[in-house]
Amino acid sequence: MQNKSLCATDVSFQEFLQWILNEAKAGKSVDQHWAPIYSICGSCEVNAQYIVKQETFTNDIGAVLQKLNVSSEKYNFIMHTLKGKRIQSSLPGIVATILERSFAPETSRCMPWLEVTRRIWRSFQIQVKLY
């Protein structure tokens, strides 16, 4: 952003996308968060035999492990690890990250505390849906 006094919420999604396109067209290095996935992951070079979805990750991994004929000891260990307390271990990290970022001067100026709490609540809802 040229005007550092603006908040990120002052920029429309269309303006944001246009900025990314302009940066890429100018040959500038685009932050990996905004870059096309093919430019950072090399997925086109991988001959994938299995594809798993985030929404059904644990079940998908179980099916893949069975197809690979892993030992029952390894299978049970991996499945126990995946079905563990992922929500309990990931939510504190999400809250800590949101709170840490919300107290940064540029964020606290642009995002009211109510919006911070709404984002934390939304993160909780997304995590529960994933698991």
Side-chain angles (χ1 to χ4, degrees):
M1 291 177 8
Q2 298 297 327
N3 184 349
K4 297 288 185 182
S5 65
L6 287 176
C7 295
T9 55
D10 294 336
V11 178
S12 72
F13 186 66
Q14 183 175 353
E15 291 168 328
F16 173 68
L17 293 178
Q18 190 60 54
W19 173 78
I20 292 171
L21 289 173
N22 292 343
E23 294 289 298
K25 285 179 184 177
K28 296 181 180 177
S29 177
V30 179
D31 182 296
Q32 71 177 9
H33 294 93
W34 321 132
I37 192 67
Y38 67 81
S39 70
I40 58 174
C41 79
S43 62
C44 298
E45 299 166 13
V46 174
N47 184 12
Q49 296 179 14
Y50 304 100
I51 298 175
V52 299
K53 291 175 54 179
Q54 176 66 37
E55 296 84 358
T56 56
F57 185 79
T58 301
N59 292 338
D60 292 351
I61 290 296
V64 169
L65 293 173
Q66 288 176 346
K67 287 184 186 228
L68 294 174
N69 293 319
V70 300
S71 70
S72 60
E73 182 182 342
K74 287 181 183 178
Y75 175 87
N76 291 335
F77 174 78
I78 292 170
M79 295 308 290
H80 175 74
T81 302
L82 290 176
K83 291 181 180 178
K85 297 181 178 182
R86 293 191 323 183
I87 294 175
Q88 292 87 337
S89 64
S90 61
L91 286 181
I94 292 169
V95 172
T97 300
I98 292 173
L99 289 176
E100 179 182 308
R101 291 180 182 169
S102 69
F103 289 119
E106 63 277 3
T107 307
S108 60
R109 177 179 53 80
C110 295
M111 189 183 312
W113 182 245
L114 182 60
E115 180 60 22
V116 171
T117 58
R118 282 187 183 129
R119 288 181 182 213
I120 292 173
W121 177 245
R122 184 71 185 128
S123 293
F124 289 162
Q125 292 173 317
I126 290 170
Q127 289 295 312
V128 170
K129 287 178 185 177
L130 288 177
Y131 304 110

